[in-house]
Coordinates of all heavy atoms in Angstrom, one line a residue:
M1 N 131.2 69.5 113.3 CA 131.3 68.8 112.0 C 131.6 69.8 110.9 O 132.5 69.5 110.1 CB 130.0 68.1 111.7 CG 130.0 67.3 110.4 SD 128.5 66.4 110.3 CE 128.7 65.5 108.9
E2 N 130.9 70.9 110.8 CA 131.2 71.9 109.8 C 132.6 72.6 109.9 O 133.3 72.8 109.0 CB 130.1 73.0 109.8 CG 128.8 72.4 109.4 CD 127.6 73.4 109.8 OE1 127.8 74.3 110.6 OE2 126.5 73.2 109.3
R3 N 132.9 72.8 111.2 CA 134.2 73.4 111.5 C 135.4 72.4 111.1 O 136.4 72.9 110.5 CB 134.4 73.8 113.0 CG 133.5 74.9 113.3 CD 133.7 75.3 114.8 NE 132.8 76.3 115.2 CZ 133.1 77.6 115.3 NH1 134.3 78.0 115.1 NH2 132.2 78.4 115.7
K4 N 135.1 71.2 111.3 CA 136.1 70.2 110.9 C 136.3 70.1 109.4 O 137.4 70.1 108.9 CB 135.7 68.8 111.4 CG 136.7 67.8 111.7 CD 136.2 66.6 112.3 CE 137.1 66.1 113.4 NZ 136.6 64.9 114.0
K5 N 135.2 70.2 108.7 CA 135.2 70.2 107.2 C 135.9 71.4 106.7 O 136.7 71.4 105.7 CB 133.8 70.0 106.7 CG 133.7 69.9 105.2 CD 134.3 68.6 104.7 CE 134.2 68.4 103.2 NZ 134.9 67.2 102.7
A6 N 135.6 72.6 107.3 CA 136.2 73.8 106.9 C 137.7 73.8 107.1 O 138.5 74.3 106.3 CB 135.6 75.0 107.7
E7 N 138.1 73.2 108.2 CA 139.6 73.1 108.5 C 140.2 72.1 107.5 O 141.4 72.4 107.1 CB 139.8 72.6 110.0 CG 141.3 72.7 110.4 CD 141.4 72.4 111.9 OE1 140.5 72.6 112.7 OE2 142.5 71.9 112.2
E8 N 139.5 71.1 107.1 CA 140.1 70.2 106.1 C 140.3 71.0 104.7 O 141.3 70.8 104.0 CB 139.2 69.0 105.8 CG 139.1 68.0 106.9 CD 138.1 66.9 106.7 OE1 137.7 66.7 105.5 OE2 137.7 66.3 107.6
L9 N 139.3 71.8 104.4 CA 139.3 72.5 103.1 C 140.3 73.7 103.1 O 141.1 73.9 102.2 CB 138.0 73.0 102.7 CG 137.0 72.1 102.2 CD1 135.6 72.7 102.1 CD2 137.4 71.5 100.9
F10 N 140.3 74.4 104.2 CA 141.1 75.7 104.2 C 142.2 75.7 105.2 O 143.0 76.6 105.2 CB 140.1 76.8 104.6 CG 139.0 77.0 103.7 CD1 137.7 76.7 104.1 CD2 139.2 77.4 102.4 CE1 136.6 76.8 103.2 CE2 138.1 77.5 101.5 CZ 136.8 77.2 101.9
G11 N 142.4 74.7 106.1 CA 143.5 74.7 107.0 C 143.2 75.7 108.1 O 142.1 76.0 108.5
T12 N 144.3 76.2 108.7 CA 144.1 77.2 109.8 C 144.7 78.5 109.4 O 145.4 78.5 108.3 CB 144.9 76.6 111.1 OG1 146.3 76.5 110.8 CG2 144.3 75.3 111.5
S13 N 144.6 79.5 110.2 CA 145.2 80.8 109.8 C 146.7 80.7 109.8 O 147.4 81.4 109.0 CB 144.7 81.9 110.8 OG 145.1 81.6 112.1
E14 N 147.3 79.8 110.7 CA 148.8 79.7 110.7 C 149.2 78.8 109.5 O 150.3 79.0 109.0 CB 149.2 79.0 112.0 CG 149.0 79.9 113.2 CD 147.6 79.8 113.8 OE1 146.9 78.8 113.6 OE2 147.2 80.8 114.4
E15 N 148.4 77.8 109.1 CA 148.8 76.9 108.0 C 147.7 76.7 107.1 O 147.0 75.7 107.1 CB 149.2 75.5 108.6 CG 150.5 75.6 109.5 CD 150.8 74.2 110.0 OE1 150.5 73.2 109.3 OE2 151.3 74.1 111.1
P16 N 147.4 77.7 106.2 CA 146.4 77.6 105.2 C 146.7 76.5 104.1 O 147.8 76.3 103.8 CB 146.2 79.0 104.6 CG 147.6 79.6 104.8 CD 148.1 79.0 106.1
T17 N 145.6 75.9 103.6 CA 145.8 75.0 102.5 C 146.1 75.8 101.2 O 146.0 77.0 101.2 CB 144.6 74.1 102.3 OG1 143.5 75.0 101.9 CG2 144.2 73.3 103.5
E18 N 146.4 75.0 100.2 CA 146.6 75.7 98.8 C 145.4 76.4 98.4 O 145.4 77.5 97.8 CB 147.0 74.6 97.8 CG 147.4 75.2 96.5 CD 147.8 74.1 95.5 OE1 148.3 73.0 95.9 OE2 147.6 74.3 94.3
L19 N 144.2 75.8 98.6 CA 142.9 76.5 98.2 C 142.7 77.8 98.9 O 142.4 78.8 98.4 CB 141.7 75.5 98.5 CG 140.4 76.1 98.2 CD1 140.2 76.5 96.7 CD2 139.3 75.1 98.7
A20 N 143.0 77.8 100.2 CA 142.8 79.0 101.0 C 143.8 80.1 100.6 O 143.5 81.3 100.5 CB 143.0 78.7 102.5
T21 N 145.0 79.7 100.3 CA 146.0 80.6 99.8 C 145.6 81.2 98.5 O 145.7 82.5 98.3 CB 147.4 79.9 99.7 OG1 147.7 79.3 100.9 CG2 148.5 80.9 99.3
K22 N 145.0 80.4 97.6 CA 144.6 80.9 96.3 C 143.4 81.9 96.5 O 143.4 83.0 95.9 CB 144.1 79.7 95.5 CG 143.6 80.1 94.1 CD 143.2 78.9 93.3 CE 142.6 79.3 92.0 NZ 142.0 78.1 91.3
I23 N 142.5 81.6 97.4 CA 141.3 82.5 97.6 C 141.8 83.8 98.2 O 141.3 84.9 97.9 CB 140.3 81.8 98.5 CG1 139.7 80.6 97.7 CG2 139.3 82.8 99.0 CD1 138.8 79.8 98.6
M24 N 142.8 83.7 99.2 CA 143.2 84.9 99.8 C 144.0 85.8 98.9 O 144.0 87.0 99.1 CB 144.2 84.6 101.0 CG 143.4 84.0 102.2 SD 144.4 83.8 103.7 CE 145.6 82.6 103.2
G25 N 144.6 85.3 97.8 CA 145.3 86.1 96.9 C 144.4 86.8 95.9 O 144.9 87.7 95.2
V26 N 143.1 86.5 95.8 CA 142.2 87.2 94.9 C 141.7 88.4 95.6 O 141.1 88.3 96.6 CB 141.1 86.2 94.5 CG1 140.1 86.9 93.6 CG2 141.6 85.0 93.8
K27 N 141.9 89.5 94.9 CA 141.4 90.8 95.5 C 140.0 91.0 94.9 O 139.8 91.0 93.7 CB 142.3 92.0 95.1 CG 143.7 91.8 95.7 CD 143.6 91.9 97.2 CE 145.0 91.9 97.8 NZ 145.0 91.8 99.3
S28 N 139.1 91.4 95.8 CA 137.7 91.7 95.4 C 137.6 93.2 95.1 O 138.2 94.0 95.7 CB 136.7 91.3 96.5 OG 135.5 91.7 96.2
K29 N 136.7 93.5 94.1 CA 136.4 94.9 93.8 C 135.2 95.3 94.6 O 134.7 96.4 94.4 CB 136.2 95.0 92.3 CG 137.4 94.8 91.5 CD 137.1 94.9 90.0 CE 138.3 94.6 89.2 NZ 138.0 94.7 87.8
G30 N 134.8 94.6 95.6 CA 133.6 94.9 96.3 C 132.3 94.5 95.6 O 132.3 93.9 94.6
F31 N 131.2 94.9 96.2 CA 129.9 94.5 95.7 C 129.5 95.7 94.8 O 129.2 96.7 95.3 CB 128.9 94.3 96.8 CG 127.6 93.9 96.4 CD1 127.4 92.6 95.8 CD2 126.5 94.7 96.4 CE1 126.2 92.2 95.4 CE2 125.3 94.3 96.0 CZ 125.1 93.0 95.5
A32 N 129.4 95.4 93.5 CA 129.0 96.4 92.5 C 127.5 96.3 92.3 O 127.1 95.3 91.9 CB 129.8 96.3 91.2
V33 N 126.8 97.4 92.5 CA 125.4 97.4 92.3 C 125.2 98.2 91.0 O 125.6 99.3 90.8 CB 124.6 98.2 93.4 CG1 123.2 98.2 93.1 CG2 124.9 97.5 94.7
P34 N 124.5 97.6 90.0 CA 124.2 98.3 88.8 C 123.3 99.5 89.0 O 122.4 99.4 89.8 CB 123.5 97.2 87.9 CG 123.1 96.2 88.8 CD 123.9 96.2 90.0
S35 N 123.5 100.6 88.3 CA 122.7 101.8 88.5 C 121.5 101.8 87.7 O 120.6 102.6 87.9 CB 123.6 103.0 88.2 OG 123.9 103.0 86.9
T36 N 121.3 100.8 86.8 CA 120.1 100.8 86.0 C 119.4 99.4 86.2 O 120.0 98.5 86.7 CB 120.4 100.9 84.5 OG1 121.2 99.8 84.1 CG2 121.1 102.2 84.2
N37 N 118.2 99.3 85.9 CA 117.5 98.1 86.1 C 117.4 97.3 84.8 O 116.4 96.5 84.6 CB 116.0 98.4 86.6 CG 115.3 99.3 85.7 OD1 115.8 99.6 84.6 ND2 114.0 99.6 86.0
G38 N 118.4 97.4 84.0 CA 118.4 96.7 82.7 C 117.7 97.4 81.6 O 117.5 96.9 80.5
A39 N 117.3 98.6 81.8 CA 116.7 99.4 80.8 C 117.7 99.8 79.7 O 118.9 99.5 79.8 CB 116.0 100.7 81.4
D40 N 117.3 100.6 78.8 CA 118.2 101.0 77.7 C 119.4 101.7 78.3 O 119.3 102.7 78.9 CB 117.4 102.0 76.8 CG 118.2 102.4 75.6 OD1 119.3 101.8 75.3 OD2 117.8 103.4 74.9
S41 N 120.6 101.1 78.0 CA 121.8 101.7 78.6 C 122.3 102.9 77.9 O 123.1 103.6 78.4 CB 122.9 100.6 78.5 OG 123.2 100.3 77.2
S42 N 121.8 103.3 76.7 CA 122.2 104.5 76.0 C 121.5 105.7 76.7 O 122.0 106.8 76.5 CB 121.7 104.5 74.6 OG 120.3 104.4 74.5
Y43 N 120.5 105.5 77.5 CA 119.9 106.6 78.3 C 120.5 106.6 79.6 O 120.1 106.0 80.6 CB 118.4 106.2 78.4 CG 117.5 107.4 78.8 CD1 117.3 108.4 78.0 CD2 117.0 107.4 80.1 CE1 116.5 109.5 78.4 CE2 116.2 108.5 80.5 CZ 116.0 109.5 79.6 OH 115.2 110.6 80.0
N44 N 121.7 107.3 79.7 CA 122.5 107.2 81.0 C 122.5 108.6 81.7 O 121.9 109.6 81.3 CB 123.9 106.7 80.7 CG 124.6 107.6 79.7 OD1 124.3 108.8 79.5 ND2 125.7 107.1 79.1
K45 N 123.4 108.6 82.8 CA 123.4 109.7 83.6 C 124.2 110.9 83.0 O 124.2 112.0 83.5 CB 124.0 109.4 84.9 CG 125.5 108.9 84.9 CD 126.0 108.5 86.2 CE 127.4 107.9 86.1 NZ 127.9 107.4 87.3
D46 N 124.8 110.7 81.9 CA 125.6 111.8 81.2 C 124.7 112.6 80.3 O 125.1 113.3 79.5 CB 126.7 111.2 80.4 CG 127.8 110.5 81.3 OD1 127.9 110.9 82.4 OD2 128.4 109.5 80.8
R47 N 123.4 112.4 80.4 CA 122.4 113.1 79.6 C 122.4 114.6 79.9 O 122.6 115.0 81.0 CB 121.0 112.5 80.0 CG 119.9 113.1 79.2 CD 118.7 112.3 79.4 NE 117.7 112.9 78.6 CZ 116.7 113.6 79.0 NH1 116.5 113.8 80.3 NH2 115.8 114.2 78.2
I48 N 122.3 115.4 78.8 CA 122.2 116.8 79.0 C 120.7 117.2 79.0 O 120.0 116.9 78.1 CB 123.0 117.5 77.8 CG1 124.4 117.1 77.9 CG2 122.8 119.0 78.0 CD1 125.2 117.6 76.7
Y49 N 120.3 117.9 80.1 CA 118.9 118.3 80.2 C 118.7 119.7 79.6 O 119.6 120.6 79.7 CB 118.6 118.4 81.7 CG 118.7 117.0 82.4 CD1 119.7 116.8 83.3 CD2 117.7 116.1 82.2 CE1 119.7 115.5 83.9 CE2 117.8 114.8 82.8 CZ 118.8 114.6 83.7 OH 118.8 113.4 84.3
T50 N 117.5 119.9 79.1 CA 117.1 121.2 78.6 C 116.8 122.1 79.8 O 116.6 121.6 80.9 CB 115.9 121.1 77.7 OG1 114.8 120.7 78.4 CG2 116.2 120.1 76.5
D51 N 116.7 123.4 79.5 CA 116.4 124.3 80.6 C 115.0 124.0 81.2 O 114.7 124.1 82.4 CB 116.4 125.8 80.1 CG 117.9 126.2 79.9 OD1 118.8 125.6 80.5 OD2 118.1 127.2 79.1
D52 N 114.0 123.6 80.3 CA 112.7 123.3 80.7 C 112.7 122.1 81.6 O 112.0 122.0 82.6 CB 111.8 123.1 79.5 CG 110.3 122.9 79.9 OD1 109.8 123.7 80.7 OD2 109.7 121.9 79.5
E53 N 113.5 121.1 81.2 CA 113.5 119.8 82.0 C 114.1 120.1 83.4 O 113.6 119.6 84.4 CB 114.4 118.8 81.3 CG 113.7 118.2 80.1 CD 114.6 117.3 79.3 OE1 115.8 117.5 79.3 OE2 114.1 116.3 78.7
K54 N 115.2 121.0 83.4 CA 115.8 121.3 84.7 C 114.8 122.1 85.6 O 114.7 121.8 86.8 CB 117.0 122.2 84.5 CG 118.2 121.5 83.9 CD 119.3 122.5 83.6 CE 120.4 121.9 82.8 NZ 121.5 122.9 82.5
R55 N 114.0 123.0 85.0 CA 113.0 123.7 85.8 C 112.0 122.8 86.3 O 111.6 122.9 87.5 CB 112.4 124.8 84.9 CG 111.3 125.6 85.6 CD 110.7 126.6 84.6 NE 110.0 126.0 83.5 CZ 108.9 125.3 83.5 NH1 108.3 125.1 84.6 NH2 108.4 124.7 82.4
R56 N 111.5 121.8 85.5 CA 110.5 120.9 86.0 C 111.1 119.9 87.1 O 110.3 119.6 88.0 CB 110.0 120.1 84.8 CG 109.1 120.8 83.8 CD 108.7 120.0 82.7 NE 108.0 120.7 81.7 CZ 106.6 120.7 81.6 NH1 105.9 120.0 82.4 NH2 106.1 121.4 80.6
M57 N 112.3 119.6 86.9 CA 112.9 118.7 87.9 C 113.0 119.4 89.3 O 112.7 118.8 90.3 CB 114.3 118.2 87.5 CG 114.3 117.2 86.4 SD 115.9 116.5 86.0 CE 116.8 117.8 85.3
R58 N 113.5 120.6 89.3 CA 113.6 121.5 90.5 C 112.2 121.6 91.1 O 112.0 121.4 92.4 CB 114.1 122.8 90.2 CG 115.6 122.8 90.0 CD 116.2 124.2 90.0 NE 117.4 124.2 89.2 CZ 117.6 124.6 88.0 NH1 116.6 125.1 87.3 NH2 118.8 124.6 87.4
A59 N 111.2 121.9 90.3 CA 109.8 122.0 90.8 C 109.3 120.7 91.4 O 108.6 120.7 92.5 CB 108.9 122.5 89.7
A60 N 109.6 119.6 90.8 CA 109.2 118.3 91.3 C 109.8 118.0 92.6 O 109.1 117.5 93.6 CB 109.5 117.2 90.3
I61 N 111.1 118.3 92.8 CA 111.8 118.1 94.1 C 111.2 118.9 95.2 O 111.0 118.5 96.3 CB 113.3 118.2 93.9 CG1 113.9 117.1 93.0 CG2 114.0 118.2 95.3 CD1 115.3 117.3 92.7
Q62 N 111.0 120.2 94.8 CA 110.4 121.2 95.8 C 109.0 120.8 96.2 O 108.6 121.0 97.3 CB 110.5 122.6 95.3 CG 111.9 123.1 95.2 CD 112.0 124.5 94.5 OE1 111.0 124.9 93.9 NE2 113.1 125.1 94.6
A63 N 108.2 120.2 95.3 CA 106.9 119.8 95.6 C 106.7 118.4 96.2 O 105.6 118.0 96.5 CB 106.0 119.9 94.3
A64 N 107.8 117.8 96.4 CA 107.8 116.4 96.9 C 107.1 116.4 98.3 O 107.4 117.3 99.1 CB 109.2 115.8 97.0
S65 N 106.2 115.5 98.6 CA 105.5 115.5 99.8 C 106.2 114.7 100.9 O 105.7 114.7 102.1 CB 104.1 114.9 99.6 OG 104.2 113.5 99.1
S66 N 107.3 114.0 100.6 CA 108.0 113.3 101.7 C 109.5 113.3 101.3 O 109.9 113.5 100.1 CB 107.5 111.8 101.8 OG 107.8 111.1 100.6
L67 N 110.3 113.0 102.3 CA 111.7 112.9 102.1 C 112.1 111.7 101.2 O 112.9 111.8 100.3 CB 112.4 112.7 103.4 CG 113.9 112.8 103.4 CD1 114.4 114.1 102.9 CD2 114.5 112.6 104.8
A68 N 111.3 110.6 101.3 CA 111.5 109.5 100.4 C 111.3 109.8 99.0 O 112.0 109.4 98.1 CB 110.6 108.3 100.9
E69 N 110.2 110.5 98.7 CA 109.9 110.9 97.3 C 111.0 111.8 96.8 O 111.4 111.7 95.6 CB 108.5 111.6 97.3 CG 108.1 112.0 95.9 CD 106.8 112.8 95.8 OE1 106.1 112.9 96.9 OE2 106.4 113.2 94.7
M70 N 111.4 112.8 97.6 CA 112.5 113.7 97.2 C 113.8 112.9 96.9 O 114.4 113.1 95.8 CB 112.8 114.7 98.3 CG 113.8 115.7 97.9 SD 114.2 116.8 99.3 CE 112.7 117.6 99.6
A71 N 114.1 111.9 97.7 CA 115.3 111.1 97.5 C 115.2 110.3 96.2 O 116.1 110.1 95.4 CB 115.6 110.2 98.7
R72 N 114.0 109.7 96.0 CA 113.7 108.9 94.8 C 113.9 109.8 93.5 O 114.5 109.4 92.5 CB 112.3 108.3 94.8 CG 112.1 107.3 93.7 CD 110.7 106.6 93.8 NE 109.6 107.5 93.9 CZ 108.9 107.7 95.0 NH1 109.1 107.0 96.1 NH2 107.9 108.5 95.0
L73 N 113.3 111.0 93.6 CA 113.5 111.9 92.4 C 114.9 112.3 92.1 O 115.4 112.2 91.0 CB 112.6 113.2 92.6 CG 111.1 113.0 92.5 CD1 110.4 114.3 93.0 CD2 110.7 112.7 91.1
E74 N 115.6 112.6 93.2 CA 117.0 113.0 93.0 C 117.8 111.8 92.4 O 118.7 112.0 91.6 CB 117.6 113.4 94.3 CG 117.1 114.8 94.8 CD 117.6 115.3 96.1 OE1 118.1 114.4 96.9 OE2 117.5 116.5 96.4
K75 N 117.5 110.6 92.9 CA 118.2 109.4 92.4 C 117.9 109.2 90.9 O 118.8 109.0 90.1 CB 117.8 108.2 93.2 CG 118.5 106.9 92.8 CD 118.0 105.8 93.6 CE 118.6 104.4 93.2 NZ 117.8 103.8 92.2
D76 N 116.6 109.3 90.6 CA 116.3 109.2 89.2 C 117.0 110.2 88.3 O 117.5 109.9 87.2 CB 114.7 109.3 89.0 CG 114.0 108.1 89.5 OD1 114.6 107.1 89.7 OD2 112.7 108.2 89.6
F77 N 117.0 111.4 88.7 CA 117.6 112.5 87.9 C 119.1 112.3 87.8 O 119.7 112.5 86.7 CB 117.4 113.9 88.5 CG 115.9 114.2 88.6 CD1 115.4 115.1 89.6 CD2 115.0 113.7 87.7 CE1 114.1 115.4 89.7 CE2 113.6 114.1 87.7 CZ 113.2 114.9 88.7
A78 N 119.8 111.8 88.9 CA 121.2 111.5 88.8 C 121.5 110.4 87.9 O 122.6 110.3 87.3 CB 121.7 111.2 90.2
E79 N 120.6 109.4 87.7 CA 120.8 108.3 86.8 C 120.3 108.7 85.4 O 120.4 107.8 84.5 CB 120.0 107.1 87.3 CG 120.5 106.5 88.5 CD 119.7 105.4 89.1 OE1 118.6 105.2 88.6 OE2 120.2 104.8 90.0
G80 N 119.9 109.9 85.1 CA 119.5 110.3 83.8 C 118.0 110.0 83.5 O 117.7 110.0 82.3
K81 N 117.2 109.7 84.5 CA 115.8 109.3 84.2 C 115.0 110.5 84.7 O 115.2 111.1 85.7 CB 115.4 108.1 85.1 CG 116.3 106.9 84.8 CD 115.9 105.8 85.8 CE 116.9 104.7 85.8 NZ 116.6 103.8 86.9
I82 N 113.9 110.8 83.9 CA 112.9 111.8 84.3 C 111.6 111.1 84.3 O 111.1 110.6 83.2 CB 112.9 113.0 83.3 CG1 114.3 113.6 83.2 CG2 111.9 114.0 83.7 CD1 114.4 114.8 82.3
P83 N 110.9 111.0 85.4 CA 109.6 110.4 85.5 C 108.6 111.1 84.6 O 108.7 112.3 84.4 CB 109.2 110.5 86.9 CG 110.5 110.7 87.7 CD 111.4 111.4 86.8
A84 N 107.7 110.3 84.0 CA 106.8 110.9 83.0 C 106.0 112.0 83.6 O 105.7 113.0 83.0 CB 105.8 109.8 82.5
H85 N 105.6 111.9 84.9 CA 104.7 113.0 85.5 C 105.5 114.3 85.6 O 104.9 115.3 85.6 CB 104.2 112.5 86.9 CG 105.2 112.6 87.9 ND1 106.1 111.5 88.2 CD2 105.6 113.5 88.8 CE1 106.9 111.8 89.2 NE2 106.6 113.0 89.6
V86 N 106.8 114.2 85.6 CA 107.6 115.5 85.7 C 107.6 116.1 84.3 O 107.4 117.3 84.2 CB 109.1 115.2 86.2 CG1 109.9 116.4 86.0 CG2 109.0 114.7 87.6
L87 N 107.8 115.3 83.3 CA 107.8 115.9 81.9 C 106.4 116.4 81.5 O 106.4 117.4 80.8 CB 108.2 114.8 80.9 CG 109.7 114.4 80.9 CD1 110.0 113.3 80.0 CD2 110.6 115.6 80.6
Q88 N 105.4 115.8 82.0 CA 104.0 116.2 81.6 C 103.5 117.2 82.5 O 102.4 117.8 82.3 CB 103.1 115.0 81.6 CG 103.5 113.9 80.5 CD 102.8 112.6 80.7 OE1 102.1 112.4 81.6 NE2 103.1 111.7 79.8
G89 N 104.2 117.5 83.7 CA 103.7 118.5 84.6 C 102.6 118.0 85.5 O 101.9 118.8 86.1
G90 N 102.3 116.7 85.6 CA 101.2 116.2 86.4 C 101.7 115.7 87.7 O 102.8 115.9 88.1
E91 N 100.8 115.1 88.4 CA 101.1 114.5 89.7 C 101.6 113.0 89.5 O 101.3 112.4 88.6 CB 99.8 114.4 90.6 CG 99.3 115.8 91.0 CD 100.3 116.5 91.9 OE1 100.8 115.9 92.9 OE2 100.5 117.7 91.7
P92 N 102.5 112.6 90.4 CA 103.0 111.2 90.3 C 101.9 110.2 90.6 O 100.9 110.5 91.3 CB 104.1 111.1 91.4 CG 103.7 112.2 92.4 CD 103.0 113.3 91.6
M93 N 102.0 109.0 90.0 CA 101.1 108.0 90.1 C 101.3 107.3 91.5 O 102.4 107.2 91.9 CB 101.2 106.9 89.0 CG 100.8 107.5 87.7 SD 101.0 106.2 86.4 CE 99.9 105.0 86.9
E94 N 100.3 106.9 92.2 CA 100.5 106.2 93.4 C 101.0 104.8 93.2 O 100.7 104.1 92.2 CB 99.1 106.0 94.1 CG 98.4 107.3 94.4 CD 98.5 107.7 95.8 OE1 98.7 106.8 96.7 OE2 98.2 108.9 96.1
T95 N 101.9 104.4 94.1 CA 102.5 103.0 93.9 C 102.1 102.1 95.1 O 101.7 102.5 96.1 CB 104.0 103.1 93.8 OG1 104.5 103.7 95.0 CG2 104.5 103.8 92.6

C-alpha cells in the first residue's frame, strides 16, 4: 500500500513525476549541526586567549581523568568556551 502511494507521488526511477524531478533538483548542504547551544553568539571560537588561560587549559587537559573528559575540554576550548573550574583553578563539578 505504501509502495503504491509512493509510486503515485514520485513515479519510478525511469519515469519520475514532476514532484520527484523537483526534489531531485534541490541540492542539500548536508546536515549542519550548530556549534553552540544557543548561548551568546558573540562569545565564539575566534576568541584570543591570554597566556594564563592557555596555561590553565593545557593543565586541565593534562589533568583529565578520562579520554571523554579530555575530548570535552578540547571541544569546549575549540568553541571558545572555558569551563569555570579551569578559570578558577579548581576541580570540575560532577555531572
Side-chain angles (χ1 to χ4, degrees):
M1 180 173 183
E2 293 162 348
R3 289 180 187 261
K4 208 175 220 182
K5 186 66 176 173
E7 192 172 329
E8 288 175 22
L9 284 173
F10 302 112
T12 62
S13 59
E14 293 82 28
E15 295 182 32
T17 62
E18 184 179 331
L19 174 63
T21 307
K22 180 180 175 186
I23 292 172
M24 289 188 297
V26 176
K27 296 293 182 188
S28 173
K29 294 181 181 178
F31 184 70
V33 178
S35 62
T36 62
N37 60 359
D40 184 11
S41 62
S42 65
Y43 194 72
N44 62 17
K45 63 183 177 183
D46 297 329
R47 180 169 184 254
I48 299 174
Y49 297 107
T50 65
D51 289 335
D52 184 52
E53 288 173 332
K54 290 178 189 176
R55 181 183 56 74
R56 288 177 187 261
M57 289 188 294
R58 284 189 203 104
I61 291 172
Q62 290 173 349
S65 59
S66 69
L67 189 57
E69 182 182 356
M70 184 183 299
R72 186 174 57 248
L73 286 168
E74 288 177 342
K75 180 179 176 271
D76 284 348
F77 299 150
E79 292 176 351
K81 303 173 194 170
I82 302 178
H85 75 274
V86 173
L87 287 176
Q88 297 166 356
E91 292 295 316
M93 293 178 62
E94 301 254 342
T95 55

